[in-house]
Amino acid sequence: MKSTVNIPPKTTSIVRIAPICNGRIYVVSHPSEDGKIRMDLPIEETIEQTSIPSVRTIHKIKGKYNRHISSSASPRFCVQYRSEFHHGSTVYLYILPLKKESDIHFLNGTFVNSEEIASEPKKYSSNLQKEGELLGMAAELWADYLNKE
């Protein structure tokens, strides 16, 4: 008698990495889902997978952007959610805690706080609007942690 193995189908997921420093979130200009230029996180990758991304996968994604990041900091998992803006894909959101704002340098990049994202939503991507408050809290907690070291 033959046995069958059920392998779960691969699905498309999104990994987003938010650089944070001094209680603020780093954003860059990106074309948005409506074709307009909006501010968003600098690191976003689509991956095919069956479960949460491995540490190796996350480090490989960060590695693609090392020319913009002069810190050896590792991304840390923050939250997972379903995105209505990416056809229902699962989004895995990570933070990349930096010690100095000068550790990152993308073209047209800047640090903002969550209040700026909330007060000017048309300037920011739909995903960042959704993530802003959570990322703001994570950035402030990380800043408090570093100040106690």
Side-chain angles (χ1 to χ4, degrees):
M1 176 176 226
K2 285 186 176 181
S3 64
T4 59
V5 177
N6 290 329
I7 300 173
K10 287 188 176 185
T11 59
T12 301
S13 297
I14 311 295
V15 172
R16 291 171 53 82
I17 301 177
I20 59 172
C21 188
N22 298 327
R24 299 173 349 134
I25 307 152
Y26 191 77
V27 296
V28 297
S29 299
H30 276 296
S32 67
E33 52 277 347
D34 64 3
K36 295 181 179 173
I37 301 296
R38 304 231 194 270
M39 301 302 280
D40 199 3
L41 300 180
I43 303 172
E44 180 178 303
E45 293 284 326
T46 301
I47 60 173
E48 297 274 329
Q49 64 169 50
T50 57
S51 62
I52 191 165
S54 67
V55 170
R56 183 178 179 182
T57 299
I58 297 306
H59 282 278
K60 192 184 268 188
I61 291 170
K62 183 204 173 230
K64 289 181 181 180
Y65 299 89
N66 275 347
R67 70 176 188 260
H68 301 288
I69 304 166
S70 54
S71 167
S72 61
S74 294
R76 297 167 186 267
F77 181 72
C78 189
V79 70
Q80 145 187 352
Y81 67 91
R82 288 262 185 224
S83 173
E84 60 268 20
F85 310 112
H86 286 102
H87 308 290
S89 294
T90 300
V91 175
Y92 296 95
L93 181 62
Y94 290 76
I95 59 169
L96 180 65
L98 304 172
K99 290 193 179 205
K100 304 178 303 211
E101 289 186 4
S102 61
D103 284 343
I104 191 161
H105 37 83
F106 281 81
L107 186 62
N108 299 322
T110 188
F111 281 93
V112 298
N113 60 40
S114 59
E115 291 82 18
E116 291 173 77
I117 297 169
S119 68
E120 298 182 75
K122 292 191 185 291
K123 277 180 66 175
Y124 301 94
S125 73
S126 301
N127 277 337
L128 191 56
Q129 290 174 43
K130 182 175 183 171
E131 300 159 345
E133 186 177 351
L134 175 67
L135 287 173
M137 286 188 289
E140 288 173 20
L141 286 170
W142 195 262
D144 289 346
Y145 170 75
L146 287 179
N147 288 333
K148 290 181 181 175
E149 285 189 325

